Amino acid sequence: SQQGEEDPQALSIQEGENATMNCSYKTSINNLQWYRQNSGRGLVHLILIRSNEREKHSGRLRVTLDTSKKSSSLLITASRAADTASYFCATDSSGYSTLTFGKGTMLLVSP
Amino acid sequence: DTAVSQTPKYLVTQMGNDKSIKCEQNLGHDTMYWYKQDSKKFLKIMFSYNNKELIINETVPNRFSPKSPDKAHLNLHINSLELGDSAVYFCASSHLVAGTYEQYFGPGTRLTVT
């Protein structure tokens, strides 16, 4: 069954602006991961946050996790046109590599 | 070098046919997966293999049969194709690092059943 739900479904911003995407999930997790999918391509792993972590940074990416609210957010700062893609959150509840993906947020960054 | 590769990239075929999609990873990973992504971009796990053994088999019609001849390969055979099988199929692999798994995806195979 579907675990993650991303919000918004689509987001359109200008280059240089920040983009924030949210993900909610239903059951307890071991970790939550964010992936990017460019049009017509496979998914690329961006960042992983464990259930005992609250915030993580990687370059222009910042991920937060609130296990009490069962939610996570992905912030992309100073966005670029190349950031245009779909972004998916995925939860690992089993601890044995089974990921459950949400429906994704489609991000469009205009020059 | 391609880490996870799939062939073919596109597959157009008629209902009732049998087809296979091949997947290979050169990352030395122990675990491989097949996912189906529908037209609404929803990605759902179908199968997972660890060291050539099936560990996850989600509710998938038995017309779908995965085969893992060795740790680096996980092929997907589909019998009696139906219109609803049209989707993009992704292969992925992973290994355990610091207690977690990060998955590496192939480029996908777009299957169209007419």
Side-chain angles (χ1 to χ4, degrees), chain B residues 5-11 20-23 34-35 37 85-91 106-112:
Chain B
S5 60
Q6 295 177 229
T7 53
K9 190 168 172 61
Y10 299 96
L11 183 54
S20 292
I21 307 172
K22 295 186 177 181
C23 176
W34 276 109
Y35 287 88
Q37 187 173 45
D85 298 333
S86 295
V88 182
Y89 292 83
F90 287 98
C91 176
T109 295
R110 183 174 292 276
L111 171 65
T112 304

Side-chain angles (χ1 to χ4, degrees), chain B:
Chain B
D1 285 342
T2 304
V4 182
S5 60
Q6 295 177 229
T7 53
K9 190 168 172 61
Y10 299 96
L11 183 54
V12 182
T13 188
Q14 291 186 326
M15 282 175 58
N17 285 348
D18 303 338
K19 291 294 177 187
S20 292
I21 307 172
K22 295 186 177 181
C23 176
E24 177 181 1
Q25 54 97 1
N26 61 8
L27 298 166
H29 289 171
D30 294 328
T31 307
M32 295 184 72
Y33 315 79
W34 276 109
Y35 287 88
K36 178 180 179 181
Q37 187 173 45
D38 62 24
S39 58
K40 296 181 180 177
K41 290 208 161 185
F42 180 48
L43 197 68
K44 187 173 167 62
I45 182 79
M46 298 175 70
F47 301 102
S48 173
Y49 268 72
N50 182 264
N51 281 317
K52 303 195 308 177
E53 291 196 16
L54 180 67
I55 56 171
I56 293 170
N57 182 355
E58 292 293 312
T59 306
V60 175
N62 58 15
R63 297 181 295 103
F64 290 80
S65 53
K67 283 189 172 53
S68 182
D70 56 56
K71 216 171 74 165
H73 295 84
L74 181 62
N75 304 322
L76 183 65
H77 188 76
I78 315 170
N79 288 327
S80 304
L81 279 156
E82 300 178 357
L83 292 176
D85 298 333
S86 295
V88 182
Y89 292 83
F90 287 98
C91 176
S93 71
S94 72
H95 68 145
L96 186 62
V97 175
T100 62
Y101 291 85
E102 171 188 325
Q103 297 190 12
Y104 293 75
F105 282 77
T109 295
R110 183 174 292 276
L111 171 65
T112 304
V113 182
T114 61

